[in-house]
Amino acid sequence: MEVYKGKRIHGKIGMGPVLVLDRAVVYNTYKTVIKDRVAELERLKKAYERTDRELKDIIVSGRGKVGRNEADIFEAHRMLLTDENFVGEIKDMIVGESVCAEYAVSEVSAKYEDFFMNSPNIDMQSRAADIKDVSARIIANLMGKRERLVIREPSIILAEELSPSEVISLDLKKARGLVVTKGSLNSHATILARSMDIPMVLIEDSRIFESPKGVRAVVDGIEGTFIVDPDLPTYERYVNKLKEQNKAQEDLSLYKDKEAVTKSGRKISLFTNISDALGAEDSAYYHADGIGLFRTEFLYVGAKEPPSEEAQYKEYSNVLKKMGDKPVIIRTFDLGSDKTADFLHLSKEENPALGLRGIRLSLVYRELFKTQLKALFRAARHGNLKIMYPMITSVSEMIKVKEIVEECGAELKKDKFKFVIPAQGIMIETPGAVMIADELAEYADFFSIGTNDLTQYALAMDRQNGSLMEFTDPYHPAIMRLIEMTVKSAKAKGKTVGICGEMATVPFYLNKFIDLDIDYMSVNPANLLQIRKNASELD
Ligand code: PEP
Ligand code: MG
């Protein structure tokens, strides 16, 4: 038995066989001088062959990313493996400079990516992502690391780090637990995994990857431990804990049709945070009072091309119809930082959390933003839609947004579409926005406080950085004061204010938020029943 101590990410217990998630990421490729150039070329040839087999498999099984015809994408990848220029330059570098194949592939790939990315032609630009993908795959095969993106059995998944796009592309429904060696409590990848209610821990010890495949293991998200090959008493203890957990889950089902009400009868409007139409189904199933945050950026993350106006119109209409006349707050795409869209080919930033993200990115990529707004305005006819804008920090941004809204309305009218311009709110996610909340309230129909980002920016602690977890004080008084200030500014102008960060899941805060008379709280659908129970235990 091996017990690893780490940090709790999602407080549930899970048991199952271990599965290490290897995938084609860009591995560190050090410049190593080689002696036997012929052997190196042979190694490269084998890696090409393995890569080609993998790609053929993907084409046959039809799995891959959304967007362009999947088979076309992977056929294009296969063609690169025989492209005379690409393959020739790699070979020349190995022979001419006596460097290892991994290094040659990564250098030549970077050169080609650069070339295509700087092309004015959109199709040519998209080739850069293809080259990056296929090169990562070749390098993974050179290093003996295989890509595995499908989880076939219910398992405990071990991964170095998960990106938001991986979480949405993996079939995590089969995951009984997640163990990562890098990650943090409030990164988007973690929030997505938590919304699927998967027990999760952070273990900063790469020895976990030595765990034999298929060995029985336990993820204890309450204690923050990962136990490999538990001895019999430990195993039995966890079987019992699991039974208790299942029983508690069953008991929670009592709250499925109930409202969130405290003992003294104070009613809480409990909304949900979702990232796709499935989330809306869960929200309707659990009788949520509304949707408080639809993170639409996940329609873009991992896609080869931006979703069309028509596709978005259908998606939003679908979500609205599922919720009937209950409010649905759809946030315009909050791309940038950890949520990147490959098709934008954004350049790497020194401090991405402080970079081109949220509304700033929407204002730069104006056409992309307009396409989304038009889809939203058209969908607004099918339900009780409200729109909100992420990462607003100044009045001037809102003035620009309102101009674009007008422009979209005029264009839809000209094109004879039926549409409605719904209520528009602002996310309060930075201390700067809090300080001018009274002015921002003039430009917003409502506020939604994003406590995940508000905490990161107020305390200057990167929400992606797991090693800061011990410093991040979830009860830091600054956060509560910022929330109080926001509520005061909103109420003074007669505007509603909600909370859509993860904080409402903590009973201590839930109580505070009720005292502050916050209009609604929005949480993961997976947490909804627990919060109704928590509320019923408050005075
Ligand atoms: C937040 O910042 O609290 C929020 C709800 O938005 P996101 O987690 O998507 O950044
Ligand atoms: Mg945010």
Side-chain angles (χ1 to χ4, degrees):
M1 173 165 92
E2 193 79 54
V3 181
Y4 295 94
K5 268 222 76 53
K7 292 168 184 158
R8 346 166 358 165
I9 300 272
H10 185 50
K12 284 272 173 84
I13 290 167
M15 293 171 87
V18 158
L19 177 67
V20 177
L21 179 76
D22 287 341
R23 70 271 208 232
V25 290
V26 181
Y27 299 103
N28 279 336
T29 46
Y30 298 108
K31 184 173 183 175
T32 310
V33 176
I34 45 125
K35 290 205 182 82
D36 190 344
R37 287 173 285 195
V38 177
E40 200 61 10
L41 291 178
E42 187 55 28
R43 211 163 70 79
L44 180 66
K45 187 169 156 252
K46 291 235 161 67
Y48 284 152
E49 285 166 3
R50 266 198 301 272
T51 305
D52 194 54
R53 274 201 303 275
E54 278 176 5
L55 292 169
K56 270 199 221 156
D57 268 5
I58 294 175
I59 294 165
V60 172
S61 65
R63 70 186 158 89
K65 304 227 165 85
V66 257
R68 230 164 72 194
N69 183 306
E70 285 156 8
D72 282 354
I73 297 167
F74 294 108
E75 282 299 355
H77 287 194
R78 286 188 67 208
M79 274 158 71
L80 256 175
L81 297 172
T82 50
D83 181 286
E84 268 178 33
N85 294 327
F86 182 68
V87 169
E89 280 193 44
I90 294 170
K91 204 164 147 189
D92 288 350
M93 195 164 181
I94 294 172
V95 176
E97 299 180 31
S98 295
V99 289
C100 66
E102 287 88 340
Y103 180 74
V105 173
S106 99
E107 285 294 293
V108 172
S109 157
K111 184 182 133 191
Y112 274 70
E113 277 171 50
D114 236 39
F115 169 78
F116 283 112
M117 230 140 87
N118 290 323
S119 159
N121 177 310
I122 302 249
D123 280 348
M124 293 280 275
Q125 284 172 12
S126 74
R127 298 275 291 155
D130 290 343
I131 289 172
K132 190 171 172 182
D133 261 24
V134 83
S135 302
R137 218 175 262 283
I138 300 168
I139 293 170
N141 276 321
L142 279 164
M143 291 178 156
K145 303 187 184 199
R146 302 277 313 282
E147 188 215 25
R148 192 189 294 115
L149 281 172
V150 174
I151 303 166
R152 294 198 167 83
E153 318 268 11
S155 323
I156 303 278
I157 314 297
L158 314 190
E160 195 188 358
E161 189 177 22
L162 288 170
S163 68
S165 75
E166 277 171 331
V167 177
I168 53 173
S169 65
L170 284 167
D171 189 7
L172 283 182
K173 275 185 224 82
K174 295 218 179 79
R176 292 285 173 268
L178 271 174
V179 186
V180 288
T181 53
K182 281 191 204 153
S184 65
L185 203 57
N186 277 336
S187 71
H188 288 99
T190 304
I191 290 175
L192 285 174
R194 202 157 46 223
S195 72
M196 298 176 199
D197 211 16
I198 304 168
M200 184 171 178
V201 290
L202 166 67
I203 308 283
E204 289 161 305
D205 184 340
S206 57
R207 282 176 308 156
I208 63 163
F209 297 119
E210 287 158 21
S211 316
K213 179 173 180 267
V215 68
R216 183 190 284 160
V218 177
V219 171
D220 184 339
I222 300 164
E223 295 290 327
T225 50
F226 171 50
I227 305 166
V228 182
D229 196 13
D231 57 24
L232 196 61
T234 311
Y235 176 73
E236 284 176 349
R237 192 158 50 88
Y238 273 103
V239 168
N240 286 333
K241 282 190 181 204
L242 212 55
K243 277 189 197 145
E244 283 165 25
Q245 181 172 288
N246 292 342
K247 166 85 175 54
Q249 196 64 38
E250 251 176 64
D251 293 348
L252 275 183
S253 60
L254 275 177
Y255 292 87
K256 182 171 163 279
D257 306 315
K258 294 224 166 77
E259 293 190 316
V261 195
T262 66
K263 279 193 231 161
S264 60
R266 293 186 294 171
K267 155 109 177 79
I268 305 158
S269 288
L270 207 50
F271 292 10
T272 49
N273 296 340
I274 65 164
S275 48
D276 55 23
L278 272 181
E281 242 161 58
D282 288 345
S283 310
Y285 180 77
Y286 291 119
H287 304 283
D289 295 313
I291 288 172
L293 166 65
F294 178 0
R295 290 183 166 100
T296 59
E297 55 275 12
F298 290 109
L299 304 176
Y300 301 69
V301 171
K304 287 277 175 187
E305 55 193 29
S308 65
E309 182 183 319
E310 221 40 50
Q312 291 188 67
Y313 166 69
K314 280 196 191 121
E315 179 89 0
Y316 305 144
S317 304
N318 206 351
V319 168
L320 284 161
K321 283 177 193 161
K322 283 201 173 94
M323 294 304 287
D325 56 8
K326 290 182 177 171
V328 174
I329 304 178
I330 301 189
R331 172 172 80 183
T332 58
F333 57 79
D334 181 17
L335 287 168
S337 196
D338 60 324
K339 292 178 288 192
T340 49
D342 289 348
F343 57 81
L344 289 178
H345 303 300
L346 297 170
S347 41
K348 236 179 146 26
E349 295 174 311
E350 282 290 321
N351 293 302
L354 306 179
L356 190 63
R357 63 163 296 196
I359 201 67
R360 299 168 205 157
L361 190 136
S362 305
L363 292 173
V364 171
Y365 289 87
R366 198 182 163 100
E367 288 308 312
L368 200 65
F369 188 38
K370 280 176 68 180
T371 303
Q372 181 174 39
L373 288 175
K374 286 183 187 174
L376 284 165
F377 297 170
R378 288 172 55 202
R381 296 171 54 245
H382 303 299
N384 184 1
L385 174 66
K386 298 172 204 290
I387 296 178
M388 73 178 170
Y389 303 110
M391 288 294 296
I392 295 285
T393 54
S394 69
V395 165
S396 66
E397 286 163 348
M398 272 317 284
I399 292 174
K400 285 185 195 135
V401 167
K402 294 274 163 120
E403 276 167 21
I404 297 176
V405 165
E406 289 299 309
E407 205 173 299
C408 289
E411 286 174 19
L412 284 173
K413 201 166 169 189
K414 187 167 143 266
D415 294 336
K416 303 209 167 17
F417 279 108
K418 291 186 180 146
F419 68 96
V420 174
I421 298 186
Q424 295 159 71
I426 289 178
M427 281 202 74
I428 302 288
E429 299 178 275
T430 63
V434 175
M435 300 311 287
I436 58 160
D438 54 340
E439 290 176 51
L440 289 174
E442 303 281 348
Y443 295 84
D445 296 310
F446 63 95
F447 283 163
S448 176
I449 306 175
T451 56
N452 307 333
D453 276 318
L454 189 57
T455 306
Q456 106 161 321
Y457 295 119
L459 304 183
M461 289 194 193
D462 184 354
R463 64 192 270 194
Q464 299 286 114
N465 188 340
S467 49
L468 298 181
M469 269 163 76
E470 59 200 280
F471 297 101
T472 314
D473 173 7
Y475 301 99
H476 197 298
I479 313 302
M480 209 56 218
R481 286 191 206 171
L482 288 164
I483 293 172
E484 280 166 13
M485 286 168 74
T486 309
V487 175
K488 210 167 146 206
S489 300
K491 300 270 171 194
K493 295 268 159 68
K495 305 287 161 96
T496 53
V497 55
I499 302 254
C500 65
E502 299 283 298
M503 267 168 87
T505 50
V506 183
F508 170 83
Y509 282 118
L510 182 67
N511 204 7
K512 291 247 177 223
F513 295 156
I514 302 171
D515 284 346
L516 275 178
D517 204 16
I518 295 211
D519 295 290
Y520 67 89
M521 277 159 242
S522 194
V523 297
N524 267 326
N527 290 122
L528 207 65
L529 302 187
Q530 184 64 51
I531 295 177
R532 283 185 184 143
K533 182 169 187 285
N534 294 349
S536 73
E537 287 160 3
L538 295 174
D539 288 328

